[in-house]
Amino acid sequence: SSADAAVAAKWEDHTQQVLVQTAQLRLATLATVRGERGYLLTHDESFLAPYATGRAQMGQTMELLDRSMADNPVQQARLDELRRRVDEHLATMEQIVALERSGEHDAALQRIRRGEGRAWIESIMAQVNAFEAAEQELLA
């Protein structure tokens, strides 16, 4: 029974680590949006600080998740899809920021109004939810 308890404790620790990492990914995703929107509203480059921090945190968190999932091919496949969605989100945000920097404010706002950023955020959050649900299932 002590061996079973040790295995259970290991799984619980693993799941908690993954849940912390997915929470960090959620926060980082929202930070990119906060910084991008602040910049668009103010035209002040200092508002891009949360955007830059969020981008860096997303990359770091994806690396941590990759290491955490190295032994699980099913979760690794989910992580690959999550990585694709994160990359698309960041590319969209970068394009919108670039439009603003080049003086194309109306074009940047039009991209936001079309819901491009929102669609990627919702896509990331849905994938994170699936990721977390699978981890909870594995723990159970």
Side-chain angles (χ1 to χ4, degrees):
S1 72
S2 65
D4 289 343
V7 169
K10 182 179 174 186
W11 271 110
E12 186 174 342
D13 182 53
H14 171 80
T15 301
Q16 290 301 321
Q17 287 177 9
V18 169
L19 294 177
V20 165
Q21 292 162 0
T22 56
Q24 289 173 339
L25 184 61
R26 287 178 194 276
L27 292 172
T29 301
L30 297 175
T32 62
V33 175
R34 184 177 65 127
E36 175 241 17
R37 300 294 159 86
Y39 175 58
L40 291 178
L41 289 171
T42 65
H43 310 291
D44 181 347
E45 290 274 335
S46 69
F47 279 83
L48 288 175
Y51 168 77
T53 301
R55 286 180 64 90
Q57 184 66 47
M58 289 177 89
Q60 292 167 358
T61 302
M62 291 302 294
E63 288 177 20
L64 290 171
L65 284 168
D66 196 36
R67 285 196 294 269
S68 295
M69 298 297 110
D71 63 342
N72 186 329
V74 173
Q75 284 292 71
Q76 194 67 48
R78 281 190 183 100
L79 186 59
D80 289 343
E81 179 60 23
L82 178 59
R83 184 176 292 105
R84 185 188 69 76
R85 293 176 189 198
V86 164
D87 290 345
E88 289 291 332
H89 164 70
L90 294 175
T92 299
M93 303 254 78
E94 186 63 33
Q95 292 166 2
I96 292 170
V97 168
L99 285 170
E100 184 66 27
R101 280 186 171 141
S102 68
E104 298 182 59
H105 181 72
D106 290 340
L109 290 179
Q110 187 60 31
R111 300 253 336 243
I112 290 171
R113 286 185 187 116
R114 284 196 307 245
E116 293 178 36
R118 182 180 59 231
W120 284 116
I121 292 165
E122 290 171 359
S123 175
I124 289 169
M125 298 305 171
Q127 192 67 20
V128 167
N129 289 342
F131 205 82
E132 290 173 344
E135 282 298 309
Q136 293 286 4
E137 188 176 312
L138 287 170
L139 178 62

